[in-house]
Amino acid sequence: MIRVLLPHHLQTLAGCGREVTVTVDGNVTQRRILDALETRYPMLRGTVREHITLKRRLRVRFFANGRDV
């Protein structure tokens, strides 16, 4: 289980709290975390990464164990 913290504007859009959890099957990668997040909260598609290229938007940051990755 992966814990994801969302900024206020994405919380509002998704209708959830600051912290959500997602489950990732197999190796945990940024792409799989975002896939799981967008599956659980489809209204977030296109907000964290581009629709077509699926590249993470520049201002989105990932932290793992307190480290900026």
Side-chain angles (χ1 to χ4, degrees):
M1 190 168 339
I2 306 295
R3 182 175 67 130
V4 179
L5 300 177
L6 298 172
H8 182 72
H9 65 287
L10 294 182
Q11 293 172 44
T12 302
L13 184 62
C16 63
R18 176 159 172 74
E19 182 177 312
V20 298
T21 56
V22 294
T23 302
V24 176
D25 295 325
N27 293 332
V28 176
T29 64
Q30 288 181 14
R31 180 174 223 135
R32 287 191 175 169
I33 292 169
L34 291 177
D35 287 343
L37 183 66
E38 290 177 348
T39 297
R40 184 165 178 195
Y41 299 99
M43 64 288 288
L44 295 180
R45 287 189 181 125
T47 61
V48 178
R49 59 184 173 174
E50 299 289 335
H51 279 286
I52 297 171
T53 64
L54 297 180
K55 288 186 178 182
R56 177 174 49 103
R57 294 193 184 270
L58 294 177
R59 295 182 187 245
V60 175
R61 297 177 70 189
F62 277 80
F63 293 88
N65 295 325
R67 299 172 124 189
D68 190 357
V69 291

